[in-house]
Amino acid sequence: MTDPGTYALVPIGFVRSGLTSRAEAPRQGHEGAPEAWLEIDPAYEEALNGLRPGAEVLLLTWLHQGARDVLKVRPRDDPGNPLTGVFATRSPDRPNPVGLHRVTVLDVAAGKGLLVRPLEAVDGTPVVDIKPVLDAAER
């Protein structure tokens, strides 16, 4: 039995991207992020059934290079911005560095995973979950 104060988070795959460091990654996907493969563990490949090119999905990642002891940041690392609590920002530095990315599926390839765009996560970032974007009628 798991201790009630702990939670197990198991990656379903990993980001495979040309971005190899936080310094070269755009802050948001729409700011020039490239396409990237989501290499899905074969144990979870069946869960991709139903995803098609053109679908918009919400990708949850574990921002493994984020600092977990940061509570306040200057948004966009701009010294002119006031210190702001991380829960009011999209900073990758936070107590639980969960990344949220809205991406479009470009390809679904058996044995490889999903090709998506735009994704600002660096190569090797663990993928935690994938969820479809709901349209207004589904909310």
Side-chain angles (χ1 to χ4, degrees), residues 32-52:
E35 59 187 42
W37 279 99
L38 307 181
E39 184 178 86
I40 303 301
D41 184 305
Y44 303 108
E45 190 172 293
E46 208 174 307
L48 298 176
N49 185 279
L51 287 177
R52 304 276 181 267

Side-chain angles (χ1 to χ4, degrees), residues 1-80:
M1 179 165 167
T2 304
D3 177 342
T6 63
Y7 301 90
L9 196 64
V10 179
I12 62 166
F14 294 89
V15 172
R16 297 299 173 219
S17 172
L19 298 173
T20 59
S21 72
R22 281 180 60 174
E24 67 182 321
R27 300 214 184 274
Q28 298 296 323
H30 69 275
E31 296 175 338
E35 59 187 42
W37 279 99
L38 307 181
E39 184 178 86
I40 303 301
D41 184 305
Y44 303 108
E45 190 172 293
E46 208 174 307
L48 298 176
N49 185 279
L51 287 177
R52 304 276 181 267
E56 285 191 306
V57 296
L58 296 174
L59 173 64
L60 284 85
T61 60
W62 188 261
L63 302 173
H64 62 298
Q65 294 181 4
R68 298 191 64 190
D69 59 348
V70 174
L71 300 179
K72 288 185 173 183
V73 297
R74 295 192 188 280
R76 302 190 67 79
D77 288 330
D78 181 340

